[in-house]
Amino acid sequence: MAFWRVLQVLRRSVPRAAAYPRTVDLSRPCVRAMSAGGIPTDEEQATGLERKVLDALKKGEDPFNIRKPKTYPGTKDNPHVVPSVNKQRIVGCICEEDNSQIIWFWAHEGQVNRCPQCGAHYKLVPYELPH
Ligand SMILES: [Zn+2]
């Protein structure tokens, strides 16, 4: 009697197992977007400040200086740009690429600012913080 019961249970479970195959169909792309019922992406779930930053980055803006700053050769015609909310700012110059020493000096708005050791030019540019 017990053996007959086991066969009944097995017979019922076979159609269920066929309805949910365990193999992964690699021909279909993996869809994880929230619209497809998957995990939401950062753009789909971001709110508040994170949303503002993502929207600004889409427009090509960088209001919170997230991206790496643009580099300049540091010549008189093309000086290093130093953004500042004040009229002066302390600048640190690593004169050569593999130097471990930083040369600190003041850069002033409207003046020619040069590193006292290597002579690289720096230009102070007014910068407003985003509100
Ligand atoms: Zn220098």
Side-chain angles (χ1 to χ4, degrees):
M1 190 75 175
F3 177 72
W4 180 249
R5 180 74 182 136
V6 170
L7 280 179
Q8 278 183 328
V9 170
L10 284 176
R11 230 184 268 155
R12 285 186 196 151
S13 65
V14 168
R16 284 189 203 145
Y20 303 104
R22 292 184 179 194
T23 57
V24 177
D25 185 8
L26 296 176
S27 63
R28 293 174 38 202
C30 181
V31 177
R32 297 177 57 192
M34 190 170 63
S35 59
I39 299 170
T41 62
D42 286 345
E43 290 184 4
E44 289 173 332
Q45 69 178 0
T47 59
L49 186 59
E50 186 180 9
R51 165 65 55 200
K52 288 181 182 179
V53 169
L54 287 175
D55 289 344
L57 290 174
K58 275 185 189 174
K59 294 176 189 171
E61 300 168 357
D62 188 16
F64 298 100
N65 296 326
I66 293 173
R67 293 185 179 148
K68 182 182 174 188
K70 186 180 175 186
T71 56
Y72 300 92
T75 60
K76 187 176 183 179
D77 298 331
N78 204 358
H80 295 290
V81 173
V82 180
S84 177
V85 293
N86 297 319
K87 301 278 183 196
Q88 58 188 5
R89 182 174 178 183
I90 294 177
V91 176
C93 181
I94 303 172
C95 300
E96 294 175 18
E97 191 173 326
D98 51 350
N99 266 7
S100 59
Q101 181 183 13
I102 301 173
I103 305 298
W104 297 99
F105 60 95
W106 282 96
H108 300 273
E109 187 177 350
Q111 294 182 9
V112 175
N113 303 290
R114 297 187 70 183
C115 172
Q117 185 159 336
C118 70
H121 287 75
Y122 289 83
K123 180 182 179 183
L124 197 76
V125 176
Y127 177 76
E128 286 189 25
L129 291 173
H131 300 287

